[in-house]
Amino acid sequence: MNQPDSLPAYYDDLALSFEEAWGHITAGVTNRNSPSHMPVIGTVDAFGAPQMRIMILRNVSREERTLRFHTDTRSTKTEQLHHNVATSVLIYDPAAKVQIRISGKTQFSSQGDVANTAWSTSTPFARRCYMAEAAPGTPIAEPSSGLPTWIEGKQPDEAQLADYRENFAALLVKVETIEWLYLANAGHRRARWYWDAGQNVWAGCWLIP
Ligand SMILES: Cc1cc2nc3c(=O)[nH]c(=O)nc-3n(C[C@H](O)[C@H](O)[C@H](O)COP(=O)(O)O)c2cc1C
């Protein structure tokens, strides 16, 4: 006989579900094994077509309602993200049976404090991808990493990286809504919260799953 699920404290508690949702999101920054570490980021291209890709979650500020990602200023997604555009972030944690759908607007930052700090606090290996000689997505005749051959398999030092800083940008997704779906045999639970800018509070309610 199937055992009923043992239900978590947040199952029927909207405020606790909200805490749980933020807990999942923030865990993605420090826990590389958390599914929140590699969410799917959705944008819309110039033709109105949805475009999705995995990106590493680098920082979360619940207070500022921001999620930070890093990318190459020459990438295709950068064109789509330049003008404070709608962005979605999708997380599914199979062990927790939780899906989180975030929507917001992206602030593109290739200069200034946010980008400078994000650059200087990234590891040299992480920053090596910005040394690609041509823009990501450029067609090439032979398979290649796109990196200069002298740096392949090596860790660059600060002086070698300095010339490539201009290829780096931080993307800050300003969160506007968070949707929660918890799967349970006893009955799924779904909720959504939106940032009420007039009241400066998160407002949420349960939804039919
Ligand atoms: C595990 C994983 C992590 C990735 N992390 C990033 C990232 O942090 N930033 C990024 O720009 N691309 C990252 N990528 C590559 C993107 O998914 C995508 O292929 C690339 O950025 C090109 O996307 P675009 O054509 O939409 O610009 C990652 C891919 C994988 C599989």
Side-chain angles (χ1 to χ4, degrees):
M1 204 172 82
N2 282 346
Q3 293 294 316
D5 290 337
S6 104
L7 294 169
Y10 53 78
Y11 183 65
D12 278 335
D13 187 318
L14 192 61
L16 280 186
S17 294
F18 188 61
E19 292 304 312
E20 192 67 15
W22 274 109
H24 275 280
I25 297 164
T26 50
V29 178
T30 48
N31 180 1
R32 296 168 67 88
N33 297 319
S34 163
S36 309
H37 187 56
M38 293 179 224
V40 176
I41 311 302
T43 50
V44 175
D45 72 15
F47 304 100
Q51 299 292 343
M52 269 97 75
R53 78 287 286 160
I54 303 274
M55 294 179 79
I56 301 290
L57 179 61
R58 310 287 175 169
N59 184 260
V60 171
S61 167
R62 182 166 165 180
E63 203 171 53
E64 301 285 327
R65 293 185 290 118
T66 54
L67 314 184
R68 196 181 80 221
F69 300 91
H70 297 169
T71 199
D72 194 307
T73 53
R74 303 164 296 172
S75 68
T76 312
K77 74 178 82 53
T78 300
E79 287 164 31
Q80 295 156 20
L81 287 166
H82 247 301
H83 307 289
N84 204 26
V85 294
T87 306
S88 69
V89 179
L90 177 65
I91 295 165
Y92 176 55
D93 186 328
K97 298 177 291 179
V98 164
Q99 173 183 264
I100 299 172
R101 299 161 83 188
I102 296 168
S103 61
K105 299 233 168 57
T106 293
Q107 300 162 358
F108 174 86
S109 162
S110 61
Q111 285 159 6
D113 287 350
V114 171
N116 286 339
T117 306
W119 171 259
S120 58
T121 55
S122 295
T123 66
F125 262 129
R127 285 182 278 167
R128 193 181 59 177
C129 16
Y130 301 96
M131 298 174 79
E133 287 169 318
T138 303
I140 45 179
E142 302 289 337
S144 166
S145 69
L147 295 172
T149 46
W150 56 265
I151 200 63
E152 285 203 332
K154 299 196 185 92
Q155 173 168 279
D157 59 30
E158 291 296 332
Q160 289 165 331
L161 282 164
D163 285 347
Y164 301 91
R165 164 65 185 83
E166 63 186 19
N167 295 335
F168 172 85
L171 304 172
L172 284 184
V173 178
K174 188 87 172 170
V175 179
E176 291 172 349
T177 69
I178 299 176
E179 194 186 297
W180 165 261
L181 178 65
Y182 174 71
L183 304 175
N185 287 339
H188 307 326
R189 289 291 182 268
R190 181 176 173 189
R192 184 171 56 223
W193 300 268
Y194 72 93
W195 178 250
D196 181 337
Q199 306 285 327
N200 262 2
V201 290
W202 284 102
C205 68
W206 294 109
L207 305 173
I208 298 285

